[in-house]
Amino acid sequence: MIAPATAAQRGPWTLTSLLNPSSVAIVGASDNLHGHTGRAVANLLRTGYAGRILPVNPRRDEVQGLACYPSVTAIPDAPECAYLLVRAALVPDAVRECARAGVRTIVVCSSGFAEEGDDGRALQAELAAEARAHGARLLGPNCIGVVNPSDRFVAAPTFNLTYDYVPGGIAVLSQSGGVGVNVLNRAQGRSIGVRAMVSLGNEADLSAAELLDHLVDDEATSVVALVLEQLRDVPAFAAAVERAHAAGKPVLALKLGTSDVGARSSQGHTGAMAGSHAVFSDIVRRLGVLEAATLDELLDTAHVLDRGVRPRSNRVLVISPSGGECTYLADRAVAQRMELPDLGEETKARLARLMRFGNPTNPLDLTGQVIGDTALLEDVLTVLDQDPAFDAMVVGIATFGAHDADRLLPQFVKAASSSARPTVFSAWTARHVTERAEQVLQDAGVPWLPTADRATAALSLATRLAAPPSFPVRTDTPTQRIERPRFASALPNEAESKRFLATHGLPVSEEVVVDSLQEALPAAERLGWPVVAKQLAGGVLHKSDLGLVKLGLRDPADLGAAWHELATIVREHDLDARGVLLARTYAGVELIVGATRDPVFGPVVMVGSGGILAELVGDRTFARCPVSVDEAREMVSRLRVARLLDGYRGKPHDTDSLAAVVARLSEVFAASPWLAEVDLNPVLVQVSGAGATVVDAALVCMAPDASSASL
């Protein structure tokens, strides 16, 4: 029997023991090729894995022609990796046996752990602790393991795998086993090389963040594609992405669960507009992760990046022998937010001398002239390559049959291969027509995609590498702490909320609370007509929904009428009246600034188009708290309303003051763990130099005994 060993005796864990171990034990192996217990061994045998395959089953002496061991401890030399294919009740003992025997990586394919509730989570944590105590690491549970085309290591116990493997530089880390297999199969079906696909499962131990960090040092990996349902360790993930950027290895992500169905409910606008995906998108973008919208976009972009497409900007040249294809590609490129700069004057003149162009432009229709003159095509492409106006090129190929594929495609491929600018081919495919064209492109090793839509989407996403993240995502814990005031309830009224905010440096509107019309009239005179009247009521967060906000009151008569209307609404709805808030009237562009606590990213700040349409318009950006004024300014610049703020058809507005409000709120919220949510809606941004004013505000407090772990 093998004596137990400690972590210190075994040395550091390495990625090799997961991706390409020298030996692998299959615990629970069988001859049943129609079940997962037999499929793992069968997959290893059929793919030509060079290491030792060690079936483990106490009821068998042989499995699929291989000697079978009654236990892992009965194996003379400890296997480097073990796959556990036994039911959940047997997993703890199996993990304990593997860890103590010296197995370096334990892959738990069995389900029945965290996905089953609190008891399963606790058991899952015990599995990870037992493995790590003995120097082993655990993948899963509830996963399908690893498929490694590069080293012919396919231990995944699944039937739904391609039988043809093409090695490459794309590493896929997927929290969903099924989607991970989809990515792998689609890649291999198009001869797109894959380094490995790792199914992460519940991430009891080995996480997406840690494996990403290991892949940064893996020479065979050029691009990492992530399929994520959630991030479990934001600081570790941020650090790994930063290392990947430094190593020149792009990180892509596809987020599962982006629909409103999964969005959490909230009392305030900010939480309602957050949801997991909106926050996820903005924060991973700030990390420098390229987020794909679809599975195809994830794989397509990984493919072009793996083939060396790294544009310096989003300025692209579109060319095709088809005028219609040129136009369609150009439309799709612009829709993908790429720029099509005009060709230089010298380039136009040289092209005019070569071809019968009326006005050579971008997109560039090569016309039928090149179909019968490959030398002309080569000359034209040489001229284009010398034009500095663009940094990438998209070549649109129609449904070329074998004749044109053999005559013309090599010229395009030759030009693309010798060009200093990266080129992506859009080559439409049609069964029984384009097979030869596909083969020519495949053999040439150039990045190509089967539609114009996919080619432009992938290139556009790749161009975002040219603008690395300007600001780091804060993952530390603020040292400042703001104590909780004595509010009357968990929903302070607007006056209480604004007093708190003003105390901590936020610019709120000039206002006063009055209890009678007799008090209101002189107060309005002091504030200056016109004024705003808002009925304060206990437990009412959005006053306008009940008609409790009266705007543009220009004189005592208006104020008197509004006062009686508010009193009527209070009686009809039996509200707990807390006085009427009178405020100055401010002019400006309405924005919303808010903060909430995301279950993954913790405290986040938001800025977006404001007013009653805040949720409907959906124009907002998020960042993890706290942010600097410069970071807040960048957030504002990403809004659709930014053009209006910058002076579209009018004077520019005070975006510096708006950025200061965003930054200060982020600091206050990060330092106030008792706050669940803050809405400043609207913040009125006045013309440049005139400031920004918080006109309405709502605070949502946590219960007094709530945890402050999200600080």
Side-chain angles (χ1 to χ4, degrees), residues 537-605:
V540 176
L541 190 65
H542 301 306
K543 296 181 290 298
S544 60
D545 292 349
L546 294 177
L548 297 178
V549 179
K550 303 300 179 183
L551 304 173
L553 308 178
R554 298 186 175 278
D555 52 39
D558 282 353
L559 179 55
W563 190 275
H564 290 297
E565 288 178 20
L566 293 174
T568 300
I569 295 171
V570 167
R571 287 194 303 273
E572 290 176 348
H573 292 274
D574 193 22
L575 300 178
D576 177 17
R578 302 285 179 85
V580 172
L581 185 71
L582 290 183
R584 279 186 55 197
T585 296
Y586 293 81
V589 178
E590 290 189 348
L591 275 290
I592 180 172
V593 179
T596 189
R597 298 195 183 273
D598 184 82
V600 174
F601 295 102
V604 295
V605 67

Coordinates of all heavy atoms in Angstrom, one line a residue, residues 537-605:
A537 N -43.5 60.8 2.4 CA -44.3 59.9 3.0 C -43.5 58.6 3.3 O -42.7 58.2 2.6 CB -45.5 59.5 2.1
G538 N -43.8 58.1 4.5 CA -43.1 56.9 5.0 C -43.3 55.7 4.1 O -44.4 55.4 3.7
G539 N -42.2 55.0 3.7 CA -42.2 53.8 2.9 C -42.4 54.1 1.4 O -42.5 53.1 0.6
V540 N -42.5 55.3 1.0 CA -42.7 55.6 -0.5 C -41.3 56.0 -1.1 O -40.7 57.0 -0.7 CB -43.7 56.7 -0.7 CG1 -43.8 57.1 -2.2 CG2 -45.1 56.3 -0.2
L541 N -40.8 55.2 -2.0 CA -39.5 55.4 -2.6 C -39.7 56.3 -3.9 O -38.9 57.3 -4.0 CB -38.8 54.1 -2.9 CG -37.4 54.2 -3.3 CD1 -36.5 54.7 -2.2 CD2 -36.8 52.8 -3.7
H542 N -40.6 55.9 -4.8 CA -40.7 56.6 -6.0 C -42.0 57.5 -6.0 O -43.1 57.0 -6.3 CB -40.8 55.6 -7.2 CG -39.6 54.8 -7.3 ND1 -38.3 55.3 -7.4 CD2 -39.4 53.4 -7.3 CE1 -37.4 54.3 -7.4 NE2 -38.1 53.2 -7.4
K543 N -41.8 58.7 -5.6 CA -43.0 59.6 -5.3 C -43.8 59.9 -6.6 O -45.0 60.1 -6.5 CB -42.5 60.9 -4.7 CG -41.8 60.7 -3.3 CD -41.4 62.0 -2.7 CE -40.1 62.5 -3.4 NZ -39.0 61.6 -3.3
S544 N -43.1 60.0 -7.7 CA -43.8 60.4 -8.9 C -44.8 59.4 -9.4 O -45.8 59.7 -10.0 CB -42.7 60.7 -10.0 OG -42.0 59.5 -10.3
D545 N -44.6 58.1 -9.0 CA -45.5 57.1 -9.3 C -46.9 57.3 -8.8 O -47.9 56.9 -9.3 CB -45.0 55.7 -8.9 CG -43.8 55.2 -9.6 OD1 -43.4 55.9 -10.6 OD2 -43.1 54.2 -9.2
L546 N -47.0 58.0 -7.6 CA -48.2 58.3 -7.0 C -48.7 59.8 -7.2 O -49.7 60.2 -6.6 CB -48.1 58.1 -5.5 CG -47.9 56.6 -5.0 CD1 -47.8 56.5 -3.5 CD2 -49.1 55.8 -5.5
G547 N -48.0 60.5 -8.0 CA -48.3 61.9 -8.3 C -47.9 62.8 -7.2 O -48.5 63.9 -7.0
L548 N -46.9 62.5 -6.4 CA -46.5 63.2 -5.2 C -45.5 64.3 -5.6 O -44.9 64.9 -4.6 CB -46.0 62.3 -4.1 CG -47.0 61.3 -3.6 CD1 -46.4 60.4 -2.5 CD2 -48.2 62.0 -3.0
V549 N -45.2 64.5 -6.8 CA -44.2 65.5 -7.2 C -44.9 66.6 -8.1 O -45.5 66.2 -9.2 CB -43.0 64.9 -8.0 CG1 -42.0 66.0 -8.4 CG2 -42.3 63.9 -7.1
K550 N -44.8 67.8 -7.7 CA -45.4 68.9 -8.5 C -44.3 69.9 -8.9 O -43.7 70.5 -8.1 CB -46.5 69.7 -7.6 CG -47.6 68.8 -7.1 CD -48.4 68.1 -8.2 CE -49.5 67.2 -7.6 NZ -50.2 66.5 -8.7
L551 N -44.2 70.0 -10.2 CA -43.1 70.8 -10.8 C -43.6 72.2 -11.3 O -44.8 72.3 -11.6 CB -42.5 70.0 -12.0 CG -42.0 68.6 -11.7 CD1 -41.6 68.0 -13.0 CD2 -40.8 68.7 -10.7
G552 N -42.7 73.1 -11.5 CA -43.0 74.4 -12.1 C -44.0 75.2 -11.5 O -44.8 75.8 -12.1
L553 N -44.0 75.3 -10.1 CA -45.0 76.1 -9.4 C -44.5 77.6 -9.4 O -43.5 77.9 -8.8 CB -45.1 75.6 -8.0 CG -45.5 74.1 -7.9 CD1 -45.6 73.7 -6.4 CD2 -46.7 73.8 -8.6
R554 N -45.2 78.5 -10.1 CA -44.6 79.8 -10.5 C -45.1 80.9 -9.5 O -44.6 82.0 -9.5 CB -45.0 80.1 -11.9 CG -44.4 79.2 -12.9 CD -44.6 79.6 -14.3 NE -43.9 78.7 -15.3 CZ -42.6 78.9 -15.6 NH1 -41.9 79.8 -15.0 NH2 -42.0 78.0 -16.4
D555 N -46.1 80.6 -8.7 CA -46.6 81.7 -7.8 C -47.4 81.0 -6.7 O -47.6 79.8 -6.7 CB -47.5 82.7 -8.6 CG -48.5 82.0 -9.4 OD1 -49.1 81.0 -8.9 OD2 -48.8 82.4 -10.6
P556 N -47.8 81.9 -5.7 CA -48.6 81.3 -4.6 C -49.8 80.6 -5.0 O -50.2 79.6 -4.3 CB -49.0 82.6 -3.8 CG -47.8 83.5 -4.1 CD -47.5 83.3 -5.5
A557 N -50.5 81.0 -6.1 CA -51.7 80.3 -6.5 C -51.4 78.8 -6.9 O -52.1 77.9 -6.6 CB -52.4 81.0 -7.7
D558 N -50.3 78.7 -7.7 CA -49.8 77.3 -8.1 C -49.5 76.5 -6.9 O -49.9 75.3 -6.8 CB -48.6 77.5 -9.0 CG -48.9 77.9 -10.5 OD1 -50.1 77.9 -10.8 OD2 -48.0 78.1 -11.2
L559 N -48.8 77.1 -6.0 CA -48.4 76.3 -4.8 C -49.6 75.9 -4.0 O -49.7 74.8 -3.5 CB -47.4 77.2 -3.9 CG -46.9 76.6 -2.7 CD1 -46.2 75.2 -2.9 CD2 -45.9 77.5 -1.9
G560 N -50.6 76.8 -3.8 CA -51.8 76.5 -3.1 C -52.5 75.3 -3.7 O -53.0 74.4 -3.0
A561 N -52.7 75.4 -5.0 CA -53.4 74.3 -5.7 C -52.6 73.0 -5.6 O -53.2 71.9 -5.3 CB -53.5 74.7 -7.2
A562 N -51.3 73.0 -5.7 CA -50.5 71.8 -5.6 C -50.6 71.2 -4.2 O -50.7 70.0 -4.0 CB -49.1 72.1 -5.9
W563 N -50.6 72.1 -3.2 CA -50.7 71.7 -1.8 C -52.0 70.9 -1.5 O -51.9 69.8 -0.9 CB -50.6 72.9 -0.9 CG -50.4 72.6 0.6 CD1 -51.4 72.2 1.5 CD2 -49.2 72.5 1.3 NE1 -50.8 71.9 2.7 CE2 -49.5 72.1 2.6 CE3 -47.9 72.7 0.9 CZ2 -48.5 71.9 3.6 CZ3 -46.9 72.5 1.9 CH2 -47.2 72.1 3.2
H564 N -53.1 71.4 -2.0 CA -54.3 70.7 -1.8 C -54.4 69.3 -2.6 O -54.9 68.3 -2.1 CB -55.5 71.6 -2.2 CG -55.7 72.7 -1.3 ND1 -56.0 72.6 0.0 CD2 -55.6 74.1 -1.5 CE1 -56.1 73.8 0.6 NE2 -55.8 74.7 -0.3
E565 N -53.8 69.3 -3.8 CA -53.7 68.1 -4.6 C -52.9 67.0 -3.8 O -53.3 65.8 -3.8 CB -53.1 68.3 -5.9 CG -54.0 69.1 -6.9 CD -53.3 69.3 -8.2 OE1 -52.3 68.6 -8.5 OE2 -53.7 70.2 -8.9
L566 N -51.8 67.4 -3.2 CA -50.9 66.5 -2.5 C -51.7 66.0 -1.3 O -51.6 64.8 -0.9 CB -49.6 67.2 -2.1 CG -48.7 67.5 -3.2 CD1 -47.5 68.3 -2.7 CD2 -48.2 66.3 -3.9
A567 N -52.4 66.8 -0.6 CA -53.2 66.4 0.6 C -54.3 65.4 0.2 O -54.5 64.4 1.0 CB -53.8 67.6 1.3
T568 N -54.9 65.6 -0.9 CA -55.9 64.7 -1.4 C -55.3 63.3 -1.7 O -55.9 62.2 -1.3 CB -56.6 65.2 -2.7 OG1 -57.2 66.4 -2.4 CG2 -57.6 64.2 -3.2
I569 N -54.1 63.2 -2.3 CA -53.5 61.9 -2.6 C -53.1 61.2 -1.3 O -53.2 60.0 -1.2 CB -52.2 62.2 -3.5 CG1 -52.6 62.7 -4.9 CG2 -51.4 60.9 -3.6 CD1 -51.5 63.2 -5.7
V570 N -52.6 62.0 -0.3 CA -52.3 61.4 1.0 C -53.5 60.8 1.6 O -53.4 59.6 2.1 CB -51.7 62.5 1.9 CG1 -51.6 62.0 3.4 CG2 -50.3 62.9 1.4
R571 N -54.6 61.4 1.6 CA -55.8 60.8 2.2 C -56.3 59.6 1.4 O -56.6 58.6 2.0 CB -57.0 61.9 2.2 CG -56.8 63.0 3.2 CD -58.1 63.8 3.4 NE -58.6 64.3 2.1 CZ -58.2 65.5 1.7 NH1 -57.3 66.3 2.3 NH2 -58.7 66.0 0.5
E572 N -56.3 59.7 0.1 CA -56.8 58.6 -0.8 C -56.0 57.3 -0.6 O -56.5 56.2 -0.6 CB -56.8 59.0 -2.2 CG -57.9 60.0 -2.6 CD -57.8 60.5 -4.0 OE1 -56.8 60.2 -4.7 OE2 -58.8 61.1 -4.5
H573 N -54.7 57.5 -0.4 CA -53.8 56.3 -0.3 C -53.4 56.0 1.2 O -52.6 55.1 1.4 CB -52.5 56.6 -1.1 CG -52.8 56.6 -2.6 ND1 -52.8 55.4 -3.4 CD2 -53.0 57.6 -3.5 CE1 -53.0 55.7 -4.6 NE2 -53.2 57.0 -4.7
D574 N -54.0 56.8 2.1 CA -53.7 56.6 3.5 C -52.2 56.6 3.8 O -51.7 55.6 4.4 CB -54.4 55.3 4.0 CG -54.4 55.2 5.5 OD1 -54.3 56.2 6.2 OD2 -54.4 54.0 6.0
L575 N -51.5 57.6 3.3 CA -50.0 57.6 3.4 C -49.6 58.2 4.8 O -50.4 59.0 5.4 CB -49.5 58.5 2.3 CG -49.7 58.0 0.9 CD1 -49.1 59.0 -0.2 CD2 -49.2 56.6 0.6
D576 N -48.5 57.9 5.2 CA -47.8 58.4 6.4 C -47.1 59.7 6.0 O -45.9 59.7 5.7 CB -46.9 57.4 7.0 CG -46.2 57.9 8.2 OD1 -46.6 58.9 8.8 OD2 -45.1 57.3 8.6
A577 N -47.8 60.8 6.0 CA -47.2 62.1 5.6 C -46.1 62.6 6.5 O -46.3 62.5 7.8 CB -48.3 63.1 5.5
R578 N -45.0 63.0 5.9 CA -43.9 63.5 6.7 C -43.5 64.9 6.3 O -42.3 65.3 6.4 CB -42.7 62.5 6.5 CG -42.9 61.1 6.8 CD -42.9 60.8 8.3 NE -43.2 59.4 8.6 CZ -42.3 58.5 8.7 NH1 -41.0 58.8 8.4 NH2 -42.6 57.2 9.0
G579 N -44.4 65.7 5.8 CA -44.1 67.1 5.4 C -43.9 67.2 3.9 O -43.9 66.2 3.2
V580 N -43.8 68.4 3.4 CA -43.6 68.7 2.0 C -42.3 69.3 1.8 O -41.9 70.2 2.5 CB -44.7 69.6 1.5 CG1 -44.4 70.0 0.0 CG2 -46.1 68.9 1.5
L581 N -41.5 68.7 0.8 CA -40.2 69.3 0.5 C -40.4 70.3 -0.6 O -40.8 70.0 -1.7 CB -39.3 68.1 0.0 CG -37.9 68.4 -0.3 CD1 -37.1 68.7 1.0 CD2 -37.2 67.3 -1.0
L582 N -40.0 71.5 -0.3 CA -39.9 72.6 -1.4 C -38.5 72.7 -1.8 O -37.6 72.8 -1.0 CB -40.4 73.9 -0.8 CG -41.9 74.0 -0.5 CD1 -42.2 75.5 0.0 CD2 -42.8 73.7 -1.7
A583 N -38.3 72.8 -3.1 CA -36.9 73.0 -3.7 C -36.9 73.9 -4.8 O -37.9 74.2 -5.5 CB -36.4 71.6 -4.1
R584 N -35.7 74.5 -5.0 CA -35.5 75.3 -6.2 C -35.7 74.5 -7.5 O -35.5 73.3 -7.5 CB -34.1 75.9 -6.2 CG -33.8 77.1 -5.3 CD -32.4 77.6 -5.5 NE -32.1 77.8 -7.0 CZ -30.9 78.0 -7.5 NH1 -29.9 77.8 -6.7 NH2 -30.8 78.2 -8.8
T585 N -36.0 75.2 -8.6 CA -36.0 74.5 -9.9 C -34.7 74.6 -10.6 O -34.1 75.7 -10.6 CB -37.1 75.1 -10.7 OG1 -38.4 74.9 -10.1 CG2 -37.2 74.5 -12.1
Y586 N -34.2 73.5 -11.1 CA -32.9 73.5 -11.8 C -33.1 73.0 -13.2 O -34.0 72.3 -13.5 CB -31.9 72.5 -11.1 CG -31.5 73.0 -9.7 CD1 -32.3 72.7 -8.6 CD2 -30.3 73.6 -9.5 CE1 -32.0 73.1 -7.3 CE2 -29.9 74.0 -8.2 CZ -30.8 73.8 -7.1 OH -30.4 74.2 -5.9
A587 N -32.3 73.5 -14.1 CA -32.4 73.2 -15.5 C -31.1 72.4 -15.9 O -30.0 72.6 -15.3 CB -32.5 74.4 -16.4
G588 N -31.2 71.5 -16.8 CA -30.1 70.7 -17.3 C -30.5 69.4 -17.9 O -31.7 69.1 -18.0
V589 N -29.5 68.6 -18.3 CA -29.7 67.3 -18.8 C -29.9 66.3 -17.6 O -29.1 66.3 -16.7 CB -28.6 66.8 -19.7 CG1 -28.8 65.4 -20.3 CG2 -28.4 67.8 -20.9
E590 N -30.9 65.5 -17.7 CA -31.2 64.5 -16.6 C -30.3 63.3 -16.8 O -30.4 62.6 -17.8 CB -32.7 64.1 -16.6 CG -33.6 65.2 -16.2 CD -35.0 64.7 -16.0 OE1 -35.3 63.6 -16.4 OE2 -35.8 65.5 -15.4
L591 N -29.6 63.0 -15.7 CA -28.8 61.7 -15.6 C -29.2 61.0 -14.4 O -29.7 61.6 -13.4 CB -27.3 62.0 -15.6 CG -26.5 62.2 -16.9 CD1 -26.4 60.9 -17.7 CD2 -27.0 63.3 -17.7
I592 N -29.0 59.7 -14.3 CA -29.1 59.0 -13.1 C -27.7 58.5 -12.7 O -26.9 58.0 -13.5 CB -30.1 57.8 -13.2 CG1 -30.2 57.0 -11.9 CG2 -29.6 56.8 -14.4 CD1 -31.2 55.9 -11.9
V593 N -27.4 58.7 -11.4 CA -26.2 58.1 -10.8 C -26.6 57.2 -9.6 O -27.5 57.7 -8.8 CB -25.3 59.2 -10.3 CG1 -24.0 58.6 -9.7 CG2 -24.9 60.2 -11.5
G594 N -26.1 56.0 -9.6 CA -26.6 55.1 -8.5 C -25.5 54.2 -8.1 O -24.4 54.1 -8.7
A595 N -25.8 53.4 -7.1 CA -24.9 52.4 -6.6 C -25.7 51.2 -6.0 O -26.7 51.4 -5.5 CB -23.9 53.0 -5.5
T596 N -25.2 50.0 -6.2 CA -25.8 48.8 -5.7 C -24.8 47.8 -5.4 O -23.6 48.0 -5.6 CB -26.8 48.3 -6.7 OG1 -27.6 47.3 -6.1 CG2 -26.1 47.7 -8.0
R597 N -25.2 46.7 -4.8 CA -24.3 45.6 -4.4 C -24.5 44.4 -5.3 O -25.5 43.7 -5.1 CB -24.4 45.3 -2.9 CG -24.0 46.5 -2.1 CD -23.8 46.3 -0.6 NE -23.5 47.5 0.0 CZ -22.3 48.1 0.1 NH1 -21.2 47.5 -0.4 NH2 -22.2 49.3 0.7
D598 N -23.6 44.2 -6.2 CA -23.8 43.0 -7.1 C -23.3 41.8 -6.3 O -22.3 41.8 -5.6 CB -22.9 43.2 -8.3 CG -23.0 42.1 -9.3 OD1 -24.0 42.2 -10.1 OD2 -22.2 41.2 -9.3
P599 N -24.0 40.6 -6.5 CA -23.7 39.4 -5.7 C -22.3 38.9 -6.1 O -21.7 38.2 -5.3 CB -24.8 38.4 -6.1 CG -25.4 39.0 -7.3 CD -25.3 40.5 -7.3
V600 N -21.7 39.3 -7.2 CA -20.4 38.8 -7.6 C -19.4 39.9 -7.4 O -18.3 39.6 -6.9 CB -20.4 38.3 -9.1 CG1 -19.0 38.0 -9.6 CG2 -21.4 37.2 -9.3
F601 N -19.6 41.1 -7.9 CA -18.6 42.1 -8.0 C -18.6 43.0 -6.8 O -17.8 43.9 -6.6 CB -18.8 42.9 -9.2 CG -18.5 42.2 -10.5 CD1 -19.5 41.7 -11.3 CD2 -17.2 41.9 -10.9 CE1 -19.3 41.0 -12.4 CE2 -16.9 41.1 -12.0 CZ -18.0 40.7 -12.8
G602 N -19.6 42.9 -5.9 CA -19.7 43.7 -4.7 C -20.2 45.1 -5.0 O -21.1 45.3 -5.9
P603 N -19.7 46.1 -4.4 CA -20.3 47.5 -4.6 C -19.9 48.0 -6.0 O -18.8 48.0 -6.4 CB -19.6 48.3 -3.5 CG -18.3 47.6 -3.2 CD -18.6 46.1 -3.4
V604 N -20.9 48.4 -6.7 CA -20.7 49.0 -8.0 C -21.5 50.3 -8.2 O -22.5 50.5 -7.5 CB -21.2 48.0 -9.2 CG1 -20.4 46.8 -9.2 CG2 -22.7 47.7 -9.0
V605 N -20.9 51.2 -9.0 CA -21.5 52.5 -9.2 C -22.0 52.5 -10.7 O -21.4 51.9 -11.5 CB -20.5 53.6 -8.9 CG1 -19.4 53.6 -9.9 CG2 -21.2 55.0 -8.9

